């Protein structure tokens, strides 16, 4: 577990890279029960004016918070987590390759200490999240209890 007294505002926690392909989205749809066709059917996604199939918002949030829970060493220490979805995470078609082998879209995450509360012994972690170079989440923050 991280010692609260060793933290400083602005301190970088680290980075995390997530690769997501369409097979991942189909598996997530099965696990979550969210079978909205924008997450697996390119024709439908384009008909509703999306650029292509997009990742589930909760899939993206779950992938992103892994940086914080791994850093703190205890997923239960995350007491608050929120974000604003600003751009969809577009997951392109693998174009004839085996979908499971296709690396797909890359989500990059960086975490920094945004604020410390000595009385409550909490740290707010500010996360910068981009997919293929485009910011996809804004005001992405987690609070951890230390």
């Amino acid at each position: 577990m991280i010692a609260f007294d060793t933290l400083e505002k602005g301190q970088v926690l680290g980075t995390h890279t997530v690769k997501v392909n369409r097979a991942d989205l189909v598996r997530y749809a099965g696990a979550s029960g969210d079978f909205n066709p924008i997450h697996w059917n390119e024709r439908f996604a384009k008909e509703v004016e999306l650029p292509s199939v997009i990742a589930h918002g909760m899939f993206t949030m779950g992938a992103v918070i892994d940086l914080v829970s791994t850093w703190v060493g205890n997923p239960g220490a995350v007491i608050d987590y929120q974000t604003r979805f600003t751009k969809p995470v577009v997951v392109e078609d693998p174009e004839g390759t085996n979908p499971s082998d296709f690396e797909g879209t890359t989500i990059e995450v960086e975490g920094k200490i945004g604020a410390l509360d000595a009385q409550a012994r909490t740290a707010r972690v500010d996360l910068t999240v981009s997919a293929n170079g485009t910011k996809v989440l804004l005001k992405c923050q987690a609070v951890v209890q230390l």
Side-chain angles (χ1 to χ4, degrees):
M1 185 84 151
I2 302 296
F4 181 84
D5 299 332
T6 65
L7 301 178
E8 296 178 16
K9 184 177 177 183
Q11 178 180 344
V12 176
L13 310 180
T15 61
H16 180 59
T17 300
V18 179
K19 300 278 189 174
V20 57
N21 62 41
R22 290 190 179 183
D24 296 325
L25 300 182
V26 170
R27 285 189 286 273
Y28 184 82
S32 69
D34 181 353
F35 292 101
N36 186 327
I38 63 173
H39 303 302
W40 56 270
N41 184 312
E42 185 164 356
R43 180 188 46 77
F44 183 86
K46 288 183 176 183
E47 283 176 4
V48 296
E49 300 183 10
L50 291 168
S52 189
V53 166
I54 62 170
H56 303 73
M58 294 301 107
F59 173 92
T60 304
M61 283 186 75
V64 167
I65 196 63
D66 187 55
L67 173 68
V68 177
S69 60
T70 299
W71 168 75
V72 76
N74 174 9
V78 178
I79 59 172
D80 186 51
Y81 178 41
Q82 50 194 291
T83 192
R84 290 189 185 149
F85 296 95
T86 57
K87 301 261 183 190
V89 175
V90 177
V91 181
E92 294 295 341
D93 187 1
E95 298 181 23
T97 63
N98 180 345
S100 298
D101 295 337
F102 181 63
E103 289 194 6
T105 297
T106 301
I107 301 171
E108 297 288 341
V109 184
E110 180 185 68
K112 290 183 182 179
I113 301 296
L116 296 166
D117 183 333
Q119 185 175 2
R121 299 191 65 77
T122 59
R124 189 190 76 219
V125 178
D126 296 341
L127 299 161
T128 303
V129 182
S130 60
N132 291 337
T134 301
K135 282 192 177 182
V136 293
L137 301 179
L138 288 182
K139 207 166 166 82
C140 188
Q141 300 174 330
V143 177
V144 295
Q145 178 74 59
L146 300 167

